[in-house]
């Protein structure tokens, strides 16, 4: 465990508390708002809330682990005998990242068969991506970090391909009122996910120990807020608009998931 | 950390506990009352409750931090080795202040495009205002405090301009039964927000350390209660009246957000 300054400690501490509150607020908002969308979209909104709820729990754990790993007295930060447990992030992602892709698929309201096959394929690729990234995250040397990071990039690239090629045709079939928003949700997912590999590569830089630790934690935290709460609210807005559009032209009802 | 008297310690302690209870009560009231308003206004009421819920969480943390920062034994207050964490206020505001503006926009029920653009612009300006204020709040000298405070005032003035000029025309289009109330909500938002810069400037006065600390905490606490619970209840009353007005003249239904 690297020594960090009081400023770095406080920044991460406050960022964790902020993210806990943000995830909790997003969960409550999404679950309370379920009744605002049509029955066909409630599962997408429920799962969006679930992703935030799981993240809320893990940010509580990460916050507690951060406080246990460092002691602060009279403005001086010291490391304790307890290591900061970064694995909380990976167990969180193992659950939430497949669900994030499933919420995107669900809000598109494809046919039942397409929904199942896309959810399974994307969900499996997402889980694989997380599992392959973890050995690199805890590796002591940058060589192993790069190896596992590269392996993890394979399912990541497959997901990007699926999002832009596989889902592309389905997006063109979305009602005009939401087509732009669905593309935004896809782009936000891609952009926020693209953040993770960048953060993952921070240890390769010439930054010192405390700055690396702080950079990784703040970077993952921002990416998590955008990918989970940000995309979740966007999925909700898409669901509201699709509900309104379908109330006017009740044709799409046969595609009911 | 400045030394404070037992009276000052207790005043802040009780104010924090009071505010935790007030925010929790406002949250429960607003969420329980969602079904009392029409579907078009539920998101406004949900978000009003959310703002109070987020504040409730942060007042719990602030209360705990206050107790950790001071020790009281036999009527004498001493500082401990743990610093009082004032940053909780800023992470709270970073989340709640944009949401407060969004709840005002939502209860006005503008067109979809106007709702999105006003929410985004006001929300972004609000976040910027908070981010710029923070370095001043933790600055050791009053010069830096004044510099960041002034920078933070720029987005604040933009928000005031938007509330009074940009939203002014929309308020005139509100049903007559609520026009006065919407103006009151706007004024209450403005008045309670105007409180924050005044509190921010307390350290410029000739007051001693303990009085400054107490003044800042009590001042921000009163402003928070008015801006969050007060405005939240006002938004709820507006939503109830608009629901009733629209039940009599169901014309506005097409503007459904």
């Amino acid at each position: 465990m690297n020594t960090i300054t009081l400023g770095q400690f406080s920044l991460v501490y406050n960022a964790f508390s902020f993210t806990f509150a943000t995830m909790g607020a997003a969960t409550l908002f999404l679950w309370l708002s379920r009744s605002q969308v049509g029955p066909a979209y409630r599962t997408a909104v429920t799962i969006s809330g679930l992703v935030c709820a799981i993240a809320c729990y893990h940010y509580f754990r990460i916050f507690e682990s951060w406080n246990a790993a460092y002691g602060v007295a009279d403005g001086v930060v010291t490391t304790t005998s307890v290591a900061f447990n970064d694995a909380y992030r990976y167990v969180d992602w193992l659950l939430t990242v497949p669900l994030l892709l499933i919420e995107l698929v669900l809000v598109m309201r494809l046919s039942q068969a397409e929904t199942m096959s896309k959810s399974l394929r994307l969900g499996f690729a997402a889980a694989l991506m997380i599992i392959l990234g973890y050995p690199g995250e805890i590796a002591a040397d940058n060589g192993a970090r790069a190896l596992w990071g590269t392996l993890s990039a394979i399912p990541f690239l497959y997901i990007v391909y699926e999002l832009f090629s596989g889902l592309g045709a389905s997006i063109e079939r979305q009602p005009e009122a939401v087509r732009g928003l669905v593309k935004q949700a896809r782009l936000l997912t891609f952009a926020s996910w693209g953040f993770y590999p960048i953060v993952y590569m921070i240890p390769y830089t010439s930054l010192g120990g405390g700055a690396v630790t702080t950079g990784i934690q703040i970077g993952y935290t921002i990416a998590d807020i955008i990918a989970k709460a940000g995309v979740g609210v966007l999925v909700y807005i898409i669901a509201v608009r699709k509900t309104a559009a379908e109330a006017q032209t009740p044709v799409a009802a046969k595609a009911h998931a």
Side-chain angles (χ1 to χ4, degrees), chain A:
Chain A
M1 184 67 32
N2 296 302
T3 21
I4 56 173
T5 67
L6 179 62
Q8 289 168 340
F9 173 82
S10 303
L11 182 65
V12 174
Y13 177 99
N14 290 317
F16 286 167
S17 178
F18 173 79
T19 312
F20 170 77
T22 305
M23 296 296 184
T27 306
L28 292 167
F29 173 77
L30 290 165
W31 285 349
L32 284 168
S33 303
R34 282 177 75 247
S35 59
Q36 300 288 96
V37 305
Y41 299 107
R42 286 204 190 134
T43 308
V45 175
T46 304
I47 291 182
S48 301
L50 207 55
V51 164
C52 297
I54 296 166
C56 183
Y57 162 72
H58 284 117
Y59 270 92
F60 174 75
R61 288 278 182 212
I62 291 172
F63 178 82
E64 294 286 303
S65 177
W66 185 255
N67 282 326
Y70 297 99
V72 184
D74 299 319
V76 178
V77 184
T78 47
T79 53
T80 66
S81 60
V82 186
F84 174 60
N85 183 18
D86 223 6
Y88 284 130
R89 292 199 180 282
Y90 280 79
V91 293
D92 176 82
W93 294 335
L94 192 56
L95 264 172
T96 56
V97 175
L99 290 174
L100 273 170
L101 291 171
I102 292 169
E103 77 187 48
L104 271 184
V105 170
L106 283 176
V107 84
M108 291 179 64
R109 201 185 184 187
L110 310 172
S111 73
Q112 216 172 53
E114 261 188 306
T115 302
M116 281 297 260
S117 84
K118 282 198 193 299
S119 295
L120 280 175
R121 271 188 293 157
L122 286 169
F124 180 75
L128 193 67
M129 173 177 83
I130 304 303
I131 290 169
L132 289 172
Y134 184 62
E137 186 74 78
I138 56 167
D141 67 298
N142 282 343
R145 191 176 184 90
L147 172 71
W148 289 106
T150 308
L151 288 175
S152 169
I154 299 168
F156 175 67
L157 291 174
Y158 168 73
I159 293 168
V160 172
Y161 167 78
E162 270 287 331
L163 282 181
F164 285 85
S165 164
L167 283 185
S170 317
I171 288 177
E172 292 311 317
R173 275 178 285 148
Q174 293 292 304
E176 211 191 317
V178 299
R179 216 174 289 151
L181 277 180
V182 174
K183 283 183 186 165
Q184 267 180 38
R186 178 178 67 172
L187 194 66
L188 201 60
T189 303
F190 172 65
S192 58
W193 288 28
F195 222 81
Y196 294 97
I198 296 170
V199 175
Y200 190 89
M201 288 186 273
I202 289 179
Y204 304 160
T205 65
S206 59
L207 289 171
V212 166
T213 305
T214 308
I216 290 178
Q217 297 310 323
I218 298 293
Y220 281 151
T221 299
I222 294 171
D224 271 349
I225 290 174
I226 297 170
K228 295 179 168 90
V231 172
V233 170
L234 213 50
V235 161
Y236 165 72
I237 295 172
I238 293 168
V240 168
R241 293 216 185 156
K242 287 184 81 172
T243 302
E246 285 162 19
Q248 279 157 5
T249 51
V251 190
K254 62 186 168 190
H256 189 125

